[in-house]
Amino acid sequence: SIIPRLVQRRRAVGLVGEQAVMELYVSDASGTWTVLATLPDGQACLIASGGDFQMVNEPATVPGAPA
């Protein structure tokens, strides 16, 4: 069935000041992703979408510190 490949689940959220919530949705099956900004009144705006999503776990960097 194609339906499981199309399902995206919320993987991350973050605040955009006091104005909105940023939400990242990802399909593990297809690698597609979508970023939404959701306002306090429930309206949502599509910010971006794409494919080839890959989760990375990189160490934190400190600006000005030697590499």
Short mmCIF file of all heavy atoms in Angstrom, two decimals:
data_model
loop_
_atom_site.label_atom_id
_atom_site.label_comp_id
_atom_site.label_asym_id
_atom_site.label_seq_id
_atom_site.Cartn_x
_atom_site.Cartn_y
_atom_site.Cartn_z
N SER A 1 0.84 -1.20 0.00
CA SER A 1 0.00 0.00 0.00
C SER A 1 0.87 1.25 0.00
O SER A 1 1.91 1.30 0.65
CB SER A 1 -0.91 -0.01 1.22
OG SER A 1 -1.56 1.22 1.35
N ILE A 2 0.45 2.26 -0.70
CA ILE A 2 1.20 3.52 -0.77
C ILE A 2 0.95 4.40 0.46
O ILE A 2 1.76 5.25 0.80
CB ILE A 2 0.87 4.29 -2.06
CG1 ILE A 2 1.88 5.41 -2.28
CG2 ILE A 2 -0.55 4.83 -2.02
CD1 ILE A 2 1.80 6.05 -3.63
N ILE A 3 -0.16 4.19 1.17
CA ILE A 3 -0.53 5.05 2.29
C ILE A 3 0.57 5.13 3.36
O ILE A 3 0.93 6.23 3.78
CB ILE A 3 -1.88 4.62 2.90
CG1 ILE A 3 -2.99 4.74 1.86
CG2 ILE A 3 -2.21 5.44 4.14
CD1 ILE A 3 -3.17 6.12 1.27
N PRO A 4 1.16 4.02 3.84
CA PRO A 4 2.22 4.15 4.86
C PRO A 4 3.40 5.00 4.41
O PRO A 4 4.04 5.66 5.21
CB PRO A 4 2.64 2.71 5.13
CG PRO A 4 1.46 1.90 4.76
CD PRO A 4 0.82 2.63 3.59
N ARG A 5 3.70 5.01 3.11
CA ARG A 5 4.81 5.82 2.60
C ARG A 5 4.50 7.31 2.66
O ARG A 5 5.39 8.13 2.65
CB ARG A 5 5.14 5.42 1.17
CG ARG A 5 5.71 4.03 1.03
CD ARG A 5 5.99 3.72 -0.41
NE ARG A 5 6.63 4.83 -1.08
CZ ARG A 5 7.91 4.90 -1.41
NH1 ARG A 5 8.69 3.89 -1.15
NH2 ARG A 5 8.40 5.94 -2.03
N LEU A 6 3.22 7.67 2.67
CA LEU A 6 2.82 9.07 2.66
C LEU A 6 2.65 9.66 4.06
O LEU A 6 2.61 10.87 4.21
CB LEU A 6 1.51 9.24 1.88
CG LEU A 6 1.56 8.84 0.41
CD1 LEU A 6 0.18 8.98 -0.21
CD2 LEU A 6 2.58 9.66 -0.35
N VAL A 7 2.55 8.80 5.06
CA VAL A 7 2.30 9.28 6.42
C VAL A 7 3.54 9.96 6.98
O VAL A 7 4.63 9.39 6.98
CB VAL A 7 1.88 8.11 7.34
CG1 VAL A 7 1.78 8.55 8.78
CG2 VAL A 7 0.56 7.52 6.87
N GLN A 8 3.36 11.20 7.45
CA GLN A 8 4.44 11.92 8.12
C GLN A 8 4.05 12.09 9.59
O GLN A 8 2.90 12.39 9.90
CB GLN A 8 4.66 13.30 7.49
CG GLN A 8 5.20 13.23 6.09
CD GLN A 8 5.55 14.60 5.53
OE1 GLN A 8 5.21 15.63 6.09
NE2 GLN A 8 6.23 14.61 4.40
N ARG A 9 5.03 11.88 10.47
CA ARG A 9 4.79 12.03 11.91
C ARG A 9 5.62 13.21 12.42
O ARG A 9 6.72 13.47 11.93
CB ARG A 9 5.19 10.76 12.64
CG ARG A 9 4.25 9.60 12.33
CD ARG A 9 4.56 8.40 13.20
NE ARG A 9 3.50 7.42 13.14
CZ ARG A 9 3.33 6.56 12.14
NH1 ARG A 9 4.15 6.57 11.11
NH2 ARG A 9 2.34 5.70 12.16
N ARG A 10 5.09 13.88 13.43
CA ARG A 10 5.79 15.04 14.00
C ARG A 10 7.04 14.55 14.72
O ARG A 10 6.98 13.69 15.58
CB ARG A 10 4.87 15.79 14.95
CG ARG A 10 5.46 17.12 15.37
CD ARG A 10 4.46 18.02 15.98
NE ARG A 10 3.93 17.46 17.20
CZ ARG A 10 3.15 18.12 18.04
NH1 ARG A 10 2.80 19.35 17.77
NH2 ARG A 10 2.70 17.55 19.13
N ARG A 11 8.19 15.13 14.34
CA ARG A 11 9.47 14.72 14.92
C ARG A 11 10.12 15.78 15.78
O ARG A 11 11.00 15.49 16.57
CB ARG A 11 10.43 14.36 13.78
CG ARG A 11 9.97 13.21 12.91
CD ARG A 11 10.10 11.87 13.59
NE ARG A 11 11.47 11.51 13.87
CZ ARG A 11 12.27 10.86 13.04
NH1 ARG A 11 11.83 10.47 11.87
NH2 ARG A 11 13.51 10.59 13.38
N ALA A 12 9.71 17.07 15.59
CA ALA A 12 10.32 18.15 16.37
C ALA A 12 9.37 19.34 16.41
O ALA A 12 8.56 19.52 15.51
CB ALA A 12 11.66 18.58 15.75
N VAL A 13 9.48 20.10 17.49
CA VAL A 13 8.72 21.34 17.64
C VAL A 13 9.63 22.39 18.24
O VAL A 13 10.60 22.07 18.91
CB VAL A 13 7.46 21.17 18.53
CG1 VAL A 13 6.48 20.21 17.92
CG2 VAL A 13 7.82 20.75 19.92
N GLY A 14 9.30 23.66 18.01
CA GLY A 14 10.05 24.77 18.60
C GLY A 14 9.21 26.03 18.55
O GLY A 14 8.32 26.15 17.70
N LEU A 15 9.48 26.93 19.46
CA LEU A 15 8.75 28.19 19.50
C LEU A 15 9.37 29.21 18.56
O LEU A 15 10.60 29.29 18.44
CB LEU A 15 8.74 28.76 20.91
CG LEU A 15 7.97 27.95 21.95
CD1 LEU A 15 8.11 28.60 23.33
CD2 LEU A 15 6.51 27.82 21.57
N VAL A 16 8.53 29.98 17.91
CA VAL A 16 8.95 31.10 17.08
C VAL A 16 8.51 32.35 17.83
O VAL A 16 7.41 32.85 17.63
CB VAL A 16 8.31 31.05 15.67
CG1 VAL A 16 8.81 32.20 14.81
CG2 VAL A 16 8.58 29.71 15.00
N GLY A 17 9.36 32.78 18.77
CA GLY A 17 8.98 33.88 19.65
C GLY A 17 7.70 33.53 20.39
O GLY A 17 7.53 32.42 20.86
N GLU A 18 6.80 34.49 20.47
CA GLU A 18 5.49 34.25 21.07
C GLU A 18 4.41 34.18 20.00
O GLU A 18 3.23 34.21 20.29
CB GLU A 18 5.18 35.34 22.08
CG GLU A 18 6.11 35.36 23.27
CD GLU A 18 5.78 36.46 24.25
OE1 GLU A 18 4.71 37.07 24.14
OE2 GLU A 18 6.61 36.70 25.14
N GLN A 19 4.84 34.08 18.74
CA GLN A 19 3.92 34.18 17.62
C GLN A 19 3.46 32.84 17.05
O GLN A 19 2.36 32.76 16.50
CB GLN A 19 4.57 34.97 16.49
CG GLN A 19 5.05 36.33 16.90
CD GLN A 19 3.93 37.20 17.45
OE1 GLN A 19 2.85 37.21 16.90
NE2 GLN A 19 4.19 37.89 18.54
N ALA A 20 4.28 31.79 17.15
CA ALA A 20 3.94 30.54 16.47
C ALA A 20 4.74 29.38 17.04
O ALA A 20 5.70 29.57 17.77
CB ALA A 20 4.20 30.66 14.97
N VAL A 21 4.32 28.19 16.64
CA VAL A 21 5.06 26.96 16.94
C VAL A 21 5.53 26.39 15.60
O VAL A 21 4.74 26.25 14.66
CB VAL A 21 4.16 25.94 17.66
CG1 VAL A 21 4.88 24.61 17.84
CG2 VAL A 21 3.70 26.48 19.00
N MET A 22 6.83 26.10 15.49
CA MET A 22 7.38 25.45 14.31
C MET A 22 7.26 23.95 14.53
O MET A 22 7.60 23.44 15.60
CB MET A 22 8.84 25.84 14.13
CG MET A 22 9.52 25.28 12.90
SD MET A 22 10.10 23.55 12.97
CE MET A 22 11.07 23.47 14.43
N GLU A 23 6.76 23.23 13.51
CA GLU A 23 6.61 21.79 13.61
C GLU A 23 7.28 21.12 12.41
O GLU A 23 7.10 21.55 11.28
CB GLU A 23 5.13 21.40 13.62
CG GLU A 23 4.38 22.02 14.78
CD GLU A 23 2.89 21.77 14.70
OE1 GLU A 23 2.21 22.55 14.02
OE2 GLU A 23 2.44 20.78 15.30
N LEU A 24 8.06 20.08 12.68
CA LEU A 24 8.72 19.30 11.63
C LEU A 24 8.07 17.93 11.57
O LEU A 24 8.04 17.21 12.57
CB LEU A 24 10.21 19.15 11.91
CG LEU A 24 10.97 18.17 11.01
CD1 LEU A 24 10.97 18.65 9.55
CD2 LEU A 24 12.38 17.94 11.52
N TYR A 25 7.53 17.59 10.40
CA TYR A 25 6.92 16.28 10.17
C TYR A 25 7.78 15.51 9.18
O TYR A 25 8.28 16.09 8.21
CB TYR A 25 5.51 16.45 9.60
CG TYR A 25 4.53 17.00 10.59
CD1 TYR A 25 4.41 18.37 10.79
CD2 TYR A 25 3.72 16.15 11.33
CE1 TYR A 25 3.52 18.89 11.70
CE2 TYR A 25 2.81 16.66 12.25
CZ TYR A 25 2.71 18.03 12.43
OH TYR A 25 1.82 18.53 13.34
N VAL A 26 7.97 14.20 9.43
CA VAL A 26 8.85 13.38 8.59
C VAL A 26 8.20 12.03 8.33
O VAL A 26 7.57 11.46 9.21
CB VAL A 26 10.21 13.17 9.29
CG1 VAL A 26 11.10 12.22 8.49
CG2 VAL A 26 10.93 14.48 9.51
N SER A 27 8.39 11.51 7.12
CA SER A 27 8.03 10.13 6.79
C SER A 27 9.30 9.31 6.78
O SER A 27 10.19 9.54 5.94
CB SER A 27 7.35 10.04 5.42
OG SER A 27 7.27 8.68 5.02
N ASP A 28 9.42 8.35 7.70
CA ASP A 28 10.59 7.48 7.71
C ASP A 28 10.60 6.57 6.49
O ASP A 28 11.66 6.20 5.99
CB ASP A 28 10.61 6.63 8.99
CG ASP A 28 10.87 7.46 10.23
OD1 ASP A 28 11.60 8.47 10.14
OD2 ASP A 28 10.34 7.11 11.30
N ALA A 29 9.44 6.21 5.98
CA ALA A 29 9.34 5.30 4.84
C ALA A 29 9.82 5.94 3.54
O ALA A 29 10.51 5.30 2.75
CB ALA A 29 7.91 4.79 4.68
N SER A 30 9.45 7.21 3.32
CA SER A 30 9.78 7.84 2.04
C SER A 30 10.86 8.91 2.13
O SER A 30 11.40 9.33 1.12
CB SER A 30 8.53 8.47 1.44
OG SER A 30 8.10 9.57 2.22
N GLY A 31 11.17 9.40 3.34
CA GLY A 31 12.16 10.46 3.50
C GLY A 31 11.63 11.85 3.25
O GLY A 31 12.38 12.82 3.25
N THR A 32 10.31 11.99 3.03
CA THR A 32 9.75 13.32 2.82
C THR A 32 9.62 14.03 4.16
O THR A 32 9.53 13.41 5.22
CB THR A 32 8.38 13.25 2.14
OG1 THR A 32 7.49 12.50 2.95
CG2 THR A 32 8.49 12.63 0.76
N TRP A 33 9.64 15.37 4.11
CA TRP A 33 9.52 16.18 5.32
C TRP A 33 8.73 17.44 5.02
O TRP A 33 8.66 17.89 3.88
CB TRP A 33 10.90 16.53 5.90
CG TRP A 33 11.80 17.22 4.92
CD1 TRP A 33 12.68 16.64 4.07
CD2 TRP A 33 11.87 18.64 4.67
NE1 TRP A 33 13.30 17.61 3.31
CE2 TRP A 33 12.82 18.84 3.65
CE3 TRP A 33 11.22 19.73 5.20
CZ2 TRP A 33 13.14 20.10 3.17
CZ3 TRP A 33 11.55 21.00 4.71
CH2 TRP A 33 12.50 21.16 3.72
N THR A 34 8.12 18.00 6.08
CA THR A 34 7.33 19.22 5.97
C THR A 34 7.56 20.06 7.21
O THR A 34 7.58 19.54 8.32
CB THR A 34 5.82 18.89 5.86
OG1 THR A 34 5.62 18.04 4.73
CG2 THR A 34 4.98 20.14 5.72
N VAL A 35 7.75 21.37 7.04
CA VAL A 35 7.86 22.31 8.15
C VAL A 35 6.63 23.21 8.13
O VAL A 35 6.33 23.84 7.10
CB VAL A 35 9.14 23.17 8.08
CG1 VAL A 35 9.16 24.19 9.20
CG2 VAL A 35 10.37 22.28 8.14
N LEU A 36 5.91 23.26 9.25
CA LEU A 36 4.74 24.12 9.40
C LEU A 36 4.98 25.12 10.51
O LEU A 36 5.69 24.83 11.48
CB LEU A 36 3.51 23.30 9.81
CG LEU A 36 2.98 22.26 8.85
CD1 LEU A 36 1.80 21.52 9.50
CD2 LEU A 36 2.55 22.89 7.55
N ALA A 37 4.38 26.30 10.39
CA ALA A 37 4.30 27.25 11.50
C ALA A 37 2.83 27.32 11.87
O ALA A 37 1.98 27.59 11.03
CB ALA A 37 4.80 28.63 11.08
N THR A 38 2.54 27.02 13.14
CA THR A 38 1.15 27.02 13.61
C THR A 38 0.95 28.18 14.56
O THR A 38 1.70 28.35 15.52
CB THR A 38 0.81 25.69 14.30
OG1 THR A 38 1.08 24.62 13.38
CG2 THR A 38 -0.64 25.64 14.71
N LEU A 39 -0.07 28.99 14.28
CA LEU A 39 -0.38 30.18 15.08
C LEU A 39 -1.26 29.82 16.27
O LEU A 39 -1.89 28.76 16.29
CB LEU A 39 -1.07 31.22 14.20
CG LEU A 39 -0.31 31.63 12.94
CD1 LEU A 39 -1.15 32.55 12.07
CD2 LEU A 39 1.00 32.29 13.31
N PRO A 40 -1.32 30.70 17.28
CA PRO A 40 -2.14 30.42 18.46
C PRO A 40 -3.61 30.14 18.15
O PRO A 40 -4.26 29.38 18.86
CB PRO A 40 -2.00 31.69 19.31
CG PRO A 40 -0.69 32.27 18.90
CD PRO A 40 -0.56 31.95 17.44
N ASP A 41 -4.14 30.70 17.06
CA ASP A 41 -5.55 30.47 16.72
C ASP A 41 -5.77 29.16 15.95
O ASP A 41 -6.88 28.84 15.55
CB ASP A 41 -6.14 31.64 15.94
CG ASP A 41 -5.51 31.83 14.57
OD1 ASP A 41 -4.66 31.00 14.16
OD2 ASP A 41 -5.87 32.81 13.90
N GLY A 42 -4.70 28.38 15.75
CA GLY A 42 -4.81 27.10 15.08
C GLY A 42 -4.52 27.12 13.60
O GLY A 42 -4.38 26.06 12.98
N GLN A 43 -4.43 28.29 12.99
CA GLN A 43 -4.07 28.37 11.57
C GLN A 43 -2.62 27.91 11.39
O GLN A 43 -1.77 28.21 12.22
CB GLN A 43 -4.21 29.78 11.05
CG GLN A 43 -5.64 30.27 10.99
CD GLN A 43 -5.71 31.65 10.36
OE1 GLN A 43 -5.03 31.95 9.40
NE2 GLN A 43 -6.55 32.50 10.93
N ALA A 44 -2.38 27.19 10.30
CA ALA A 44 -1.02 26.71 10.02
C ALA A 44 -0.58 27.19 8.65
O ALA A 44 -1.39 27.33 7.74
CB ALA A 44 -0.99 25.18 10.09
N CYS A 45 0.72 27.46 8.53
CA CYS A 45 1.30 27.92 7.27
C CYS A 45 2.42 26.96 6.88
O CYS A 45 3.32 26.68 7.68
CB CYS A 45 1.87 29.33 7.47
SG CYS A 45 2.66 30.00 6.00
N LEU A 46 2.37 26.44 5.66
CA LEU A 46 3.42 25.58 5.14
C LEU A 46 4.65 26.44 4.87
O LEU A 46 4.59 27.38 4.07
CB LEU A 46 2.96 24.89 3.86
CG LEU A 46 4.00 24.08 3.12
CD1 LEU A 46 4.43 22.88 3.95
CD2 LEU A 46 3.46 23.64 1.78
N ILE A 47 5.76 26.14 5.53
CA ILE A 47 6.99 26.90 5.36
C ILE A 47 7.86 26.28 4.28
O ILE A 47 8.38 26.96 3.40
CB ILE A 47 7.78 26.99 6.68
CG1 ILE A 47 6.93 27.61 7.78
CG2 ILE A 47 9.10 27.72 6.49
CD1 ILE A 47 6.49 29.03 7.51
N ALA A 48 8.03 24.95 4.34
CA ALA A 48 8.87 24.26 3.37
C ALA A 48 8.55 22.78 3.40
O ALA A 48 8.03 22.26 4.39
CB ALA A 48 10.34 24.48 3.68
N SER A 49 8.89 22.09 2.31
CA SER A 49 8.77 20.63 2.28
C SER A 49 9.80 20.09 1.30
O SER A 49 10.29 20.82 0.42
CB SER A 49 7.36 20.20 1.88
OG SER A 49 7.06 20.61 0.57
N GLY A 50 10.14 18.82 1.45
CA GLY A 50 11.14 18.25 0.56
C GLY A 50 11.30 16.77 0.78
O GLY A 50 10.44 16.10 1.34
N GLY A 51 12.46 16.26 0.36
CA GLY A 51 12.73 14.83 0.45
C GLY A 51 14.13 14.56 0.96
O GLY A 51 14.87 15.48 1.30
N ASP A 52 14.49 13.30 0.99
CA ASP A 52 15.81 12.83 1.45
C ASP A 52 16.14 13.27 2.87
O ASP A 52 17.28 13.62 3.17
CB ASP A 52 16.92 13.29 0.50
CG ASP A 52 16.97 12.48 -0.77
OD1 ASP A 52 16.59 11.29 -0.73
OD2 ASP A 52 17.37 13.03 -1.81
N PHE A 53 15.14 13.25 3.76
CA PHE A 53 15.39 13.63 5.15
C PHE A 53 16.36 12.65 5.79
O PHE A 53 16.24 11.43 5.62
CB PHE A 53 14.08 13.63 5.95
CG PHE A 53 14.29 14.00 7.39
CD1 PHE A 53 14.36 15.33 7.76
CD2 PHE A 53 14.44 13.03 8.37
CE1 PHE A 53 14.57 15.68 9.09
CE2 PHE A 53 14.64 13.38 9.69
CZ PHE A 53 14.72 14.70 10.06
N GLN A 54 17.34 13.18 6.52
CA GLN A 54 18.31 12.37 7.26
C GLN A 54 18.51 12.99 8.62
O GLN A 54 18.83 14.17 8.73
CB GLN A 54 19.64 12.30 6.53
CG GLN A 54 19.55 11.64 5.17
CD GLN A 54 20.89 11.65 4.46
OE1 GLN A 54 21.95 11.68 5.09
NE2 GLN A 54 20.85 11.63 3.14
N MET A 55 18.34 12.21 9.66
CA MET A 55 18.58 12.68 11.03
C MET A 55 20.08 12.62 11.28
O MET A 55 20.73 11.62 10.95
CB MET A 55 17.85 11.77 12.03
CG MET A 55 17.95 12.25 13.45
SD MET A 55 17.11 13.81 13.75
CE MET A 55 15.44 13.23 13.96
N VAL A 56 20.66 13.69 11.80
CA VAL A 56 22.08 13.72 12.13
C VAL A 56 22.24 14.00 13.62
O VAL A 56 21.38 14.60 14.25
CB VAL A 56 22.85 14.78 11.31
CG1 VAL A 56 22.81 14.43 9.84
CG2 VAL A 56 22.30 16.16 11.54
N ASN A 57 23.34 13.55 14.17
CA ASN A 57 23.65 13.78 15.58
C ASN A 57 25.06 14.32 15.64
O ASN A 57 26.02 13.58 15.86
CB ASN A 57 23.50 12.49 16.37
CG ASN A 57 23.63 12.72 17.86
OD1 ASN A 57 23.60 13.85 18.32
ND2 ASN A 57 23.78 11.65 18.63
N GLU A 58 25.21 15.61 15.39
CA GLU A 58 26.52 16.25 15.37
C GLU A 58 26.81 16.88 16.73
O GLU A 58 25.89 17.37 17.39
CB GLU A 58 26.57 17.31 14.28
CG GLU A 58 26.38 16.74 12.89
CD GLU A 58 26.36 17.81 11.81
OE1 GLU A 58 26.25 19.00 12.14
OE2 GLU A 58 26.44 17.42 10.64
N PRO A 59 28.07 16.91 17.13
CA PRO A 59 28.40 17.55 18.39
C PRO A 59 28.16 19.06 18.32
O PRO A 59 28.28 19.65 17.26
CB PRO A 59 29.90 17.23 18.58
CG PRO A 59 30.40 16.92 17.20
CD PRO A 59 29.23 16.37 16.44
N ALA A 60 27.82 19.63 19.45
CA ALA A 60 27.62 21.07 19.53
C ALA A 60 28.94 21.79 19.30
O ALA A 60 30.01 21.31 19.68
CB ALA A 60 27.05 21.45 20.88
N THR A 61 28.87 22.95 18.66
CA THR A 61 30.07 23.75 18.44
C THR A 61 29.92 25.08 19.18
O THR A 61 28.82 25.59 19.34
CB THR A 61 30.30 24.02 16.95
OG1 THR A 61 29.16 24.69 16.42
CG2 THR A 61 30.51 22.73 16.18
N VAL A 62 31.05 25.60 19.61
CA VAL A 62 31.08 26.89 20.30
C VAL A 62 31.72 27.90 19.37
O VAL A 62 32.85 27.68 18.91
CB VAL A 62 31.88 26.78 21.62
CG1 VAL A 62 31.96 28.13 22.31
CG2 VAL A 62 31.27 25.72 22.53
N PRO A 63 31.01 29.00 19.06
CA PRO A 63 31.60 30.01 18.16
C PRO A 63 32.95 30.50 18.69
O PRO A 63 33.10 30.78 19.87
CB PRO A 63 30.57 31.14 18.16
CG PRO A 63 29.29 30.49 18.57
CD PRO A 63 29.69 29.37 19.51
N GLY A 64 33.96 30.54 17.81
CA GLY A 64 35.27 31.03 18.18
C GLY A 64 36.20 29.97 18.76
O GLY A 64 37.38 30.20 18.94
N ALA A 65 35.66 28.78 19.07
CA ALA A 65 36.51 27.72 19.62
C ALA A 65 37.25 27.03 18.49
O ALA A 65 36.73 26.91 17.38
CB ALA A 65 35.65 26.70 20.38
N PRO A 66 38.47 26.55 18.76
CA PRO A 66 39.21 25.83 17.71
C PRO A 66 38.48 24.56 17.31
O PRO A 66 37.86 23.90 18.14
CB PRO A 66 40.56 25.52 18.36
CG PRO A 66 40.43 25.84 19.78
CD PRO A 66 39.19 26.65 19.99
N ALA A 67 38.60 24.21 16.05
CA ALA A 67 37.90 23.01 15.53
C ALA A 67 38.61 21.74 15.92
O ALA A 67 39.74 21.68 16.19
CB ALA A 67 37.77 23.10 14.03
#
